[in-house]
Amino acid sequence: MKLGHFKPVEITIYGAEQICASCVNLPSSKETYEWLEAALTRKYPNQPFSMNYVDIMNPPAEEKLQAFAQRVIEEDMFYPVVLIEDQIVAEGNPRLKTIYVEMEKYGYQAPTV
């Protein structure tokens, strides 16, 4: 199977060490980040993507990341918040199927067996 040429998508996960009040029995944002990275790597082998984790309580200096981290807090979003190419695709407990559908819009393909 020959894969199409595409630009690796950027996935950004905004979260915090403290689990959000509505997400008490769910994994932490950092655990979700690690789980999602592993799942996407397995689903789309040899199809690169970049993943970034942003701590909403201590975001990096980049203005765009700080602004969205502030928005997560101000709008009381359920975190982690998952963005693909700056589009929100999941809040709280992300569903893999939803993220796969979004990835496939950018040309990612699961290998056929």
Side-chain angles (χ1 to χ4, degrees):
M1 170 176 83
K2 184 175 181 341
L3 300 171
H5 294 286
F6 55 88
K7 168 186 154 314
V9 298
E10 185 175 339
I11 302 165
T12 308
I13 297 180
Y14 290 83
E17 279 191 38
Q18 172 96 23
I19 293 174
C20 77
S22 302
C23 310
V24 171
N25 294 322
L26 299 175
S28 73
S29 297
K30 197 71 167 169
E31 289 168 332
T32 299
Y33 167 86
E34 292 164 357
W35 163 80
L36 186 57
E37 184 175 40
L40 292 174
T41 300
R42 272 193 314 275
K43 177 84 171 177
Y44 305 113
N46 305 314
Q47 297 172 70
F49 54 89
S50 71
M51 284 189 70
N52 302 306
Y53 177 79
V54 176
D55 184 330
I56 60 174
M57 301 304 177
N58 189 20
E62 192 177 328
E63 190 175 324
K64 177 178 100 170
L65 300 177
Q66 286 183 345
F68 194 84
Q70 189 62 37
R71 182 177 159 198
V72 171
I73 295 167
E74 287 174 0
E75 295 182 15
D76 211 14
M77 294 178 166
F78 296 127
Y79 49 84
V81 179
V82 179
L83 277 69
I84 295 180
E85 293 293 311
D86 296 326
Q87 297 294 312
I88 298 172
V89 294
E91 267 186 71
N93 189 15
R95 297 192 58 222
L96 275 177
K97 185 172 180 170
T98 304
I99 292 170
Y100 291 160
V101 166
E102 198 61 31
M103 293 290 284
E104 287 165 11
K105 289 179 187 175
Y106 290 95
Y108 287 80
Q109 299 173 352
T112 53
V113 253

